[in-house]
Amino acid sequence: MAVSHAPLTPEDLQFRVPRKKGKMKVVEPPSPSLEGPVADTHAHLSMVDAPLALARCAYYGVDFLCCMADVTEDAQVVFSGLEGWLREASALVAELPAVLAAGEAERDAAEAERSDALVAKPGAELQLPKVRLAVGVHPHNAKDYTREKEEELLTCLADPRCVAVGEVGLDYHYDLSPRDVQRRVFTRQVQIAKGTGMQLVLHVREAHDEALQILDKAGADPEKTVLHCCSLSPEELAPWVQRGYRIAYGGAYTFANSQACREASHQVPLGAMVMETDSPYMAPTPLRGAECLPDFTLFTASAMAAELGFEPGESRKAFLAQLHDNALAFFDKEPTPWQMAQHLS
């Protein structure tokens, strides 16, 4: 397939935040640089420039990504488009040396001293992230869940690239689907995750107590279930931690009004914690207002390490390695027996 993406520019690799009158503010990446790779366990590639996002992952050290898909919205686009996105991203990565050289040549000496955002990494071999898929019906779309959509969901889950049912759950903030329908569709998808042996990715907003009741009744496995976009206070989070659920933190963790969320994170066992972006949503501080991309995980990782007391150096390196291992252990699974049976039948 021919590459259709426009050539890279130095600006494509910057962290940029829109300002008034069409101007952009350039934000430096975390300093000192992170000591190891990071994983983004929740991104919506169909909503961003996917080839560029994947190429940026290669540059900034995001080596694993789980992409969400919804059978009522974009599953066909994601499942059919992923390989093409990766091919185009590979071509963009091949352009990086020339782009970095051009960017360096254009900057004056004073600016070069202030910024290392576009300095090539000598000897570094840039690799695209490994991408796994999760598919489900979001609670916003529960009203569109039909027998036909369930069949499409099962077809997608049989794909060996797919590792999870998600994101699914309850959203009582927007109520874009009736609550009784949300509960029914959520319960059904928990049952599907159990029946297929898949992991489960939750979207829960203003309905955490009820979601826990449904999960308890349905017999969900907390060790195979992650609470996406967690922003709960210590008291709200306690029952989830006590049951052993996996907890995912994204850009909201860095917000000024998220102190209770940060306090709550201290009670989460390190082995139960992962990072995410929810790209293109929820860009972390200091990038609020920008379209969030998977490599923005770097800022959340830096903030989490600081909050939890892991200083740059060996301490933070061990912390990042733990979270990276957690992400792969949860999202980079071998095919389940159910998936293997689908390909044998």
Side-chain angles (χ1 to χ4, degrees):
M1 175 183 292
V3 174
S4 59
H5 198 282
L8 274 181
T9 67
E11 290 75 19
D12 286 330
L13 298 175
Q14 293 175 331
F15 295 103
R16 295 156 59 95
V17 182
R19 288 292 183 255
K20 293 180 179 179
K21 298 181 180 179
K23 296 183 178 180
M24 302 293 286
K25 175 185 177 182
V26 177
V27 176
E28 301 297 323
S31 181
S33 298
L34 299 184
E35 294 80 4
V38 295
D40 180 4
T41 64
H42 193 115
H44 298 268
L45 288 178
S46 71
M47 299 182 183
V48 299
D49 181 338
L52 177 59
L54 292 166
R56 285 177 58 104
C57 284
Y59 181 74
Y60 283 110
V62 179
D63 68 354
F64 181 85
L65 185 152
C66 187
C67 175
M68 300 292 123
D70 190 309
V71 294
T72 69
E73 292 183 343
D74 63 352
Q76 291 187 4
V77 172
V78 170
F79 278 76
S80 64
L82 178 58
E83 294 306 316
W85 295 340
L86 287 166
R87 283 193 295 272
E88 292 194 25
S90 180
L92 293 178
V93 169
E95 297 176 18
L96 278 171
V99 171
L100 295 169
E104 186 70 13
E106 290 174 0
R107 297 185 313 176
D108 59 35
E111 183 180 3
E113 289 179 2
R114 292 196 303 270
S115 172
D116 64 356
L118 292 178
V119 176
K121 305 171 184 179
E125 183 179 356
L126 302 183
Q127 298 286 340
L128 291 175
K130 183 173 184 178
V131 181
R132 300 299 299 268
L133 302 174
V135 63
V137 174
H138 192 286
H140 289 345
N141 302 323
K143 61 185 180 299
D144 300 318
Y145 193 97
T146 62
R147 184 182 298 275
E148 291 73 24
K149 289 301 176 184
E150 181 169 300
E151 288 300 319
E152 184 179 342
L153 171 59
L154 292 169
T155 298
C156 290
L157 290 173
D159 189 311
R161 297 173 297 176
C162 196
V163 70
V165 177
E167 58 190 283
V168 304
L170 305 174
D171 192 312
Y172 290 176
H173 179 78
Y174 289 107
D175 280 327
L176 296 184
S177 288
R179 293 186 178 184
D180 61 329
V181 176
Q182 289 190 49
R183 291 189 288 267
R184 175 175 56 80
V185 172
F186 179 31
T187 300
R188 177 59 186 150
Q189 291 183 97
V190 175
Q191 294 168 344
I192 288 173
K194 286 184 61 181
T196 59
M198 309 292 278
Q199 311 293 82
L200 188 62
V201 179
L202 303 179
H203 171 108
V204 184
R205 190 168 185 187
E206 297 178 16
H208 287 82
D209 290 343
E210 194 162 347
L212 266 181
Q213 293 172 8
I214 289 173
L215 292 163
D216 287 345
K217 185 175 181 180
D221 183 350
E223 294 187 0
K224 297 181 69 173
T225 306
V226 62
L227 181 60
H228 149 66
C229 198
C230 183
S231 59
L232 299 179
S233 69
E235 296 76 17
E236 294 167 327
L237 185 60
W240 294 85
V241 172
Q242 291 164 2
R243 286 167 171 80
Y245 282 95
R246 277 34 190 164
I247 308 298
Y249 288 110
Y253 188 92
T254 70
F255 296 173
N257 63 355
S258 293
Q259 184 56 38
C261 165
R262 290 188 287 273
E263 291 175 3
S265 69
H266 287 264
Q267 66 182 278
V268 181
L270 289 184
M273 184 183 294
V274 295
M275 290 182 296
E276 63 175 25
T277 59
D278 201 17
S279 170
Y281 309 110
M282 309 287 282
T285 304
L287 297 167
R288 297 195 70 177
E291 178 184 67
C292 186
L293 294 173
D295 54 276
F296 287 22
T297 307
L298 273 65
F299 291 87
T300 302
S302 179
M304 289 179 64
E307 171 66 28
L308 297 173
F310 297 98
E311 298 294 332
E314 290 302 313
S315 176
R316 190 169 70 174
K317 180 179 181 180
F319 170 70
L320 294 173
Q322 176 70 71
L323 267 59
H324 188 268
D325 289 347
N326 295 346
L328 268 60
F330 190 94
F331 287 99
D332 196 20
K333 310 288 285 186
E334 294 296 322
T336 70
W338 177 85
Q339 284 178 307
M340 291 188 290
Q342 305 313 300
H343 290 278
L344 293 174
S345 60

